[in-house]
Amino acid sequence: MKNKMVTVIQQSLSELMESEQFLPGLKDETRDRAFQSLVSILTTPNRVNKSFLRISLDNGKVVRIPAFRVQHNNTLGPYKGGIRFHESVNEDEVVNLAKLMTLKNALHDVPFGGGKGGVVINPREYSVKELNLICKKYVHYFSDTLGTEKDIPAPDIGTSEREMDWMMAEFKSIHPGETYRGSFTGKSVMNGGSLGRREATGKGVYYAYRYLLHDFIEENKNLLDNNKSNPFVKTAFEHRKRPLTIAVQGFGNVGSVAALEAHKCVYLQNKVVAVSDRNVTLYNSEGLDIPALINYSNQHEGDLPTTEKELEAEDIKATVQDRDGLLELDVDVLFLAALEDQIHQDNCKNIKARIIVEGANAPVTQDADKYLSNQGVLIIPDILANAGGVIVSYLEWIQGRETQFYKEEQVFKLLYDKMSATFKSVLPEFFNDPLPLRQNCYIHAVKKLSTILYRQGKLY
Ligand code: GLU
């Protein structure tokens, strides 16, 4: 995803500058200068914090583990974004993901800026005690820059409520007397987390798909009828009434919840025919038993069954297939809920799905995105689809401040309302012009940030 965010920010700003309605007070040279200022402000992070955490392993050896906390932009509020534990973490990636968080929060009207963290480890290779130490050291090394009103981390790939609980506790010990409940989100419910936070990203991913294919279309039939020459509208229109076959890449916190939502949805005739994880793809043309698979994975450290024998023992009907084959299956819809760069230049021509929903961040590379969009494939982008996590993080932050906690139904209702407000602000434009949805979302977010920067006098 290298430099991808720089390009999209530049493109969105160029597009906006063409319109006279955008910052009408700025003319000629002043307008050109403002454009340059906005490009430099929005494409560079405010701060890149990097450390090497000194960890004493269980075997007595001391190692140094590279760790990052990038604070991209705080125009809209404290920096906000997850901490990723993965062996492929690197500075460029964390910077790009922090930029994506800034735009995501702006798009969904969440009063936070954008940040992201990362630690270069494969968490499966460390004991619980070592992971606890890594979390404590992370907070220790970056403690000055973190806090309820400064920078609020959350879970991401390789981290969960357990790590957030540990980190919040460490933050509390380092900063006695300071407010601490809002210093980390995605905590366990017992420790001040929000009901529904764990499911929030997966639910939101499904809401995005359902909203576009059902709720919005039901409410806006005319808009659709008048725009059938738009290739994306055509794709949405063709798919809205018939049974849809779905394949889900990734069966973790996001993929499994999105798969379950699809499985039990009463608005669309979905059939989840394939799911995959780090080991296998499971396929059944009649539809998979998603609740049984979730049950299995909960009892097997998050893994799906990998053999016919294991499937039989659970009475789950499916064939075991190669993990990477899932992407090229003949299905209508792909939910991508694993890692980035999964659909790229080499495999994009083999993709048969006509609708792609990005549950992970940046699972489709820029080249592949361009190719598929030119083919009329409707891509519901990460920035729109996977914001459920940060939206419920925001609700958790509010609940922590009020020390009043919401019921689960309330959380999901607020999540749906917040996401549908965003859809209402971007979808009419999307249906009215031929730009892919991703660009519409970026333009919307960049417009908001630029307008506020202008009003705050930051462009001189
Ligand atoms: N890691 C999630 C994301 O990339 C959630 C971030 C948050 O809750 O702050 O959107």
Side-chain angles (χ1 to χ4, degrees), residues 263-313:
H263 178 81
K264 60 181 200 201
C265 179
V266 293
Y267 302 99
L268 292 162
Q269 300 173 53
N270 296 315
K271 210 184 327 167
V272 184
V273 295
V275 296
S276 69
D277 69 356
R278 66 195 177 104
N279 303 312
V280 281
T281 287
L282 299 177
Y283 180 81
N284 181 345
S285 61
E286 296 306 312
L288 290 163
D289 184 347
I290 301 297
L293 288 170
I294 291 181
N295 204 9
Y296 182 95
S297 114
N298 286 344
Q299 285 164 20
H300 294 84
E301 292 178 20
D303 286 337
L304 289 167
T306 50
T307 61
E308 306 283 337
K309 216 168 128 202
E310 283 166 354
L311 284 162
E312 260 166 43

Side-chain angles (χ1 to χ4, degrees), residues 108 204-214 232 236 268 333-336 354-360 362-364 369 373 377-386 419 423 426-427 430 436-439 441:
H108 293 273
V205 167
Y206 189 75
Y207 289 164
Y209 159 78
R210 189 190 101 189
Y211 197 88
L212 193 53
L213 269 280
H214 178 270
F232 307 109
L268 292 162
V333 189
L334 268 181
F335 279 78
L336 303 176
R354 301 288 295 158
I355 299 172
I356 295 177
V357 193
E358 295 187 336
V364 179
D369 188 44
S373 298
V377 173
L378 174 60
I379 303 180
I380 309 183
D382 46 11
I383 185 171
L384 184 66
N386 74 14
M419 290 194 80
F423 298 135
V426 291
L427 292 186
F430 164 63
L437 189 49
R438 190 189 307 278
Q439 246 153 299
C441 292

